[in-house]
Amino acid sequence: MKTKLVLAVALSVFTMACSKHQLWFTVKQPSAKTTLLSAPAGFKVVAYLPKYTSTLADHINAFDFTRVTHINIAFFNPDVNGNFPASQGTGLDTIVSKAHANGVKVLISLGGGSNQSQYANLLTSANRGAFITKVVNLVSQYQVDGIDVDLEGDNIDSNYEPFITGLSAQLKPAGKLLTAATAWWTRARVTDSCLAAFDFINVMAYDKAGDEHSPYSYATQHLNYWKNDRGYPASKIVIGVPFYGYYPLGSGQGSMTFAQLVTQYPGSENKDTVKRTDGNVVNYNGITTIQNKTALAAESAGGIMFWQVLQDASGANSLLKAITDKLDINNGWTNPYVTWKYNLGSTASATFSDSTAVKQSVSVKGAPGFLPAPYYGSSRVFLPASCGGYFQLQPGATPKVKLAASSTNTPAKISWYNVDEARAVATVSYTLTLDAANTNGQLIMPFGYSTTTSTVFNNTNQLTGTNTPGVFGAIRLDFYGGSYATLSYRTNTYTYTVINNNVFNKVGTYKIEIYCNNSSGSAAYAKGGGSYTLPAQTYNVWVNDVMMQSAASIVNFPATGELSTGSVINSFALNASGNTGTSSPVTSPNSLQATIYDISMIYRLKN
């Protein structure tokens, strides 16, 4: 499954080098639980299980069989005469017995990422028939449910199609499965006749050339090719994900299992890259990305596969657990959804200080500025000249960004904008800590659409009472007298109407979630055991898991009309300004301070 490594640490290479895998996962739904993103009928979770010891029985308790639907045993390969050494099947009966007891199908997988030169002769017309018979005999010998063909590279030649169709002709009458692992670089060699013979294919959407290895966009690239360019049924496409990462090592690549990553680098489970102690960066898929690909598969494909199950971490950090948790999630959009998190991790604190000149810093993937580079979209901090404000990175177990407001009418502004993979049905989510007991001023928080060119999300605008293209909605906190800030929402006349004035204590921590529906129809979501229907062109505001409601009993706040229906929501900002200080009540200039963290933009995959 996995492609060849040029250079790697011996153990890591061994555990990853054959890494094309299908994993079949049986989804068990909790008995008294309503699920939103439950697996569609026939959804497959395919695990590749290699034999790295003398017996497969050593791996009988290595993972939870109830979380998979299929297990591919990797790998069985013949000698030059087409015979399969008996040692390859040692302990397989133990795996098959437990799998079948849990309703899991087992397939024997042929090939692997390394070249198996013996197939060139065995698949020729002179030898093909006899070899197919030997392959089929494996199925009855080990009482498995089918064959997975993981021939790659030069092993996919002109003899591949007749081998596949001939193998299918013998397996299908017996009700046995025939599947394949497919790589991007040999996709054109897999003919339509081959596709018709497979029950499903496991697309290896990993080992991408370059430094990314397996981004979400690579999964969509594979999916779109097989569905749109080749016309293959979505239900027969299984999206492959890696349980390992790559890093530069000399002229080649080193590898680390996900288990090694989370053990050696705490916190790496929630990231897609980590810097090793030797300075090299490992690219992999953390829990969030694995769950996003699971959502993509649930919405648009037939299952998810991974190479390989023995590379997984244990307990709460298990990627297999992350897959099944996502399939059984009971909060959020009722259609599959993806979550883009802004990782604010930093190795040291830093301050973006006030100056006599205007200051700004933009961060994009591959080019961090003051803020860490977001994996999606762009981020920006901005300070007007001589405003007294600042931004401060606060690293730690939960990295944060603190801002002190501008003392001018031009705001200090932090934004995350032009987030790609965006949709019109979205949630903007973050945690906000306030430290503004004795202050005046405003925090304005708009959300909507932007490009990389100047918009309210990446310019100096405070979002005043004029039509501002791109704004879907905005909420505002006003800090004046008393212990509480007043919460308001922006209307279609570009003014603000009070929601309440007793929720945001000027000193406190608040989880803010804004469910937005900019589509032309209603959208449903669940939260805290309740179900909610959000009409088109409206949004709900939740603070610490309580839905906000205005005095007029409005909960579905209307969009401002500044963003056309159907446009994606890919941006939000915090604008902090106006606290020059007052004498009655006494407030100090620049005393409005806020800290933001746990930032996410969440998109329902079906608009």
Side-chain angles (χ1 to χ4, degrees), residues 352-360 382-387:
F352 194 76
S353 303
D354 186 27
S355 171
T356 56
V358 171
K359 289 182 64 177
Q360 70 169 332
F382 168 83
L383 291 173
S386 303
C387 70

Side-chain angles (χ1 to χ4, degrees), residues 393-461:
L393 283 176
Q394 299 179 336
T398 304
K400 306 174 182 180
V401 178
K402 182 177 182 180
L403 68 90
S406 164
S407 61
T408 71
N409 288 329
T410 302
K413 178 180 289 190
I414 182 172
S415 56
W416 186 20
Y417 60 97
N418 196 38
V419 176
D420 50 3
E421 308 285 356
R423 300 290 178 118
V425 180
T427 308
V428 178
S429 175
Y430 50 88
T431 300
L432 189 69
T433 295
L434 299 175
D435 183 8
N438 299 298
T439 187
N440 68 333
Q442 294 178 334
L443 272 179
I444 298 179
M445 294 168 272
F447 39 93
Y449 170 78
S450 75
T451 64
T452 54
T453 57
S454 182
T455 69
V456 70
F457 300 101
N458 54 9
N459 66 11
T460 63
N461 193 304

Side-chain angles (χ1 to χ4, degrees), residues 170-241:
Q170 292 202 33
L171 290 174
K172 295 303 174 63
K176 299 301 182 179
L177 296 172
L178 177 59
T179 67
T182 62
W184 182 253
W185 46 93
T186 53
R187 63 193 183 280
R189 301 184 195 177
V190 180
T191 66
D192 290 346
S193 294
C194 290
L195 292 177
F198 295 132
D199 289 280
F200 58 88
I201 60 172
N202 301 289
V203 297
M204 295 183 286
Y206 41 76
D207 296 347
K208 182 177 184 289
D211 63 357
E212 291 185 298
H213 177 29
S214 186
Y216 179 88
S217 59
Y218 200 43
T220 60
Q221 180 179 336
H222 281 252
L223 181 59
N224 291 336
Y225 170 77
W226 292 109
K227 283 176 62 175
N228 301 331
D229 296 354
R230 298 295 298 272
Y232 203 52
S235 62
K236 294 187 175 184
I237 302 171
V238 176
I239 296 175
V241 298

Side-chain angles (χ1 to χ4, degrees), residues 234-439:
S235 62
K236 294 187 175 184
I237 302 171
V238 176
I239 296 175
V241 298
F243 279 15
Y244 62 95
Y246 281 145
Y247 62 93
L249 184 62
S251 59
Q253 295 182 106
S255 61
M256 296 184 70
T257 69
F258 188 70
Q260 290 170 332
L261 283 163
V262 300
T263 299
Q264 297 179 33
Y265 302 99
S268 59
E269 64 272 12
N270 295 313
K271 303 175 183 179
D272 284 344
T273 62
V274 69
K275 182 176 285 189
R276 287 165 45 93
T277 53
D278 61 10
N280 288 312
V281 173
V282 186
N283 288 273
Y284 59 98
N285 282 179
I287 289 173
T288 299
T289 297
I290 290 293
Q291 291 194 320
N292 285 344
K293 291 180 178 180
T294 302
L296 176 67
E299 174 64 29
S300 304
I304 195 158
M305 168 274 284
F306 51 89
W307 175 265
Q308 45 95 346
V309 70
L310 300 181
Q311 297 170 331
D312 198 11
S314 60
N317 291 333
S318 164
L319 294 180
L320 177 54
K321 179 180 182 296
I323 289 169
T324 54
D325 284 352
K326 184 65 174 178
L327 292 169
D328 196 34
I329 200 163
N330 64 349
N331 275 294
W333 298 110
T334 55
N335 292 98
Y337 61 87
V338 295
T339 303
W340 308 139
K341 293 183 178 181
Y342 192 169
N343 177 20
L344 293 171
S346 178
T347 56
S349 61
T351 302
F352 194 76
S353 303
D354 186 27
S355 171
T356 56
V358 171
K359 289 182 64 177
Q360 70 169 332
S361 175
V362 175
S363 300
V364 297
K365 189 173 182 179
F370 170 71
L371 294 175
Y375 199 70
Y376 294 90
S378 305
S379 64
R380 177 179 179 269
V381 290
F382 168 83
L383 291 173
S386 303
C387 70
Y390 62 85
F391 294 92
Q392 184 183 78
L393 283 176
Q394 299 179 336
T398 304
K400 306 174 182 180
V401 178
K402 182 177 182 180
L403 68 90
S406 164
S407 61
T408 71
N409 288 329
T410 302
K413 178 180 289 190
I414 182 172
S415 56
W416 186 20
Y417 60 97
N418 196 38
V419 176
D420 50 3
E421 308 285 356
R423 300 290 178 118
V425 180
T427 308
V428 178
S429 175
Y430 50 88
T431 300
L432 189 69
T433 295
L434 299 175
D435 183 8
N438 299 298
T439 187

Side-chain angles (χ1 to χ4, degrees), residues 501-585:
N501 56 12
N502 61 2
V503 170
F504 283 89
N505 192 297
K506 290 181 178 178
V507 178
T509 296
Y510 304 94
K511 180 183 178 183
I512 299 172
E513 298 167 282
I514 306 171
Y515 284 80
C516 305
N517 179 16
N518 194 33
S519 70
S520 57
S522 62
Y525 67 94
K527 184 170 172 57
S531 298
Y532 304 89
T533 299
L534 191 58
Q537 290 275 279
T538 63
Y539 60 94
N540 293 162
V541 179
W542 291 78
V543 179
N544 289 345
D545 296 322
V546 175
M547 182 186 281
M548 296 293 97
Q549 175 177 307
S550 73
S553 298
I554 298 175
V555 294
N556 298 323
F557 299 106
T560 64
E562 297 161 284
L563 181 64
S564 60
T565 303
S567 293
V568 302
I569 294 170
N570 67 357
S571 305
F572 83 95
L574 262 68
N575 307 340
S577 68
N579 64 349
T580 56
T582 60
S583 57
S584 181

